[in-house]
Amino acid sequence: MAANVVVGVVQNIMWTWFSIEKYRRSRSFWATWPGLAVAWIIVAMSLELFDFPPLWGTFDAHSLWHLGTVAPTILWYNFLLKDAKDDMGKQRLKA
């Protein structure tokens, strides 16, 4: 599990750096979305790391982790669409 946490932290650092650099170049708010998704996932990941007994006999840390990953997935998908549209509009991708 320690290796998974290390890889996750490195990936989160890299996506945060990408988000900052993309925002500096484009000045578009959507460029911050990967950084926001990373922050959200870090908070949600704490549910996996700091397990607790089920609330009301139903909602345990793992189920709340899964619930916490829904919004960042939508945010990430919308970022991919915006980023692809931005790339397609640039000269370097035109034939």
Side-chain angles (χ1 to χ4, degrees), residues 29-90:
F29 178 70
W30 61 265
T32 63
W33 293 354
L36 295 172
V38 163
W40 190 304
I41 292 296
I42 288 171
V43 170
M45 187 171 58
S46 67
L47 292 169
E48 280 290 294
L49 298 176
F50 306 114
D51 199 13
F52 55 85
L55 303 170
W56 305 291
T58 304
F59 302 109
D60 65 347
H62 190 76
S63 68
L64 292 176
W65 149 256
H66 282 287
L67 178 64
T69 60
V70 173
T73 303
I74 295 167
L75 185 66
W76 193 262
Y77 178 75
N78 288 327
F79 164 74
L80 292 176
L81 291 177
K82 292 270 192 187
D83 190 46
K85 286 179 185 176
D86 184 56
D87 276 350
M88 287 188 293
K90 292 184 178 172

Side-chain angles (χ1 to χ4, degrees), residues 87-95:
D87 276 350
M88 287 188 293
K90 292 184 178 172
Q91 186 64 30
R92 70 178 180 89
L93 292 178
K94 293 186 178 176

Side-chain angles (χ1 to χ4, degrees), residues 5 11 19 23 35 63:
V5 172
Q11 181 177 346
S19 183
Y23 178 75
S63 68

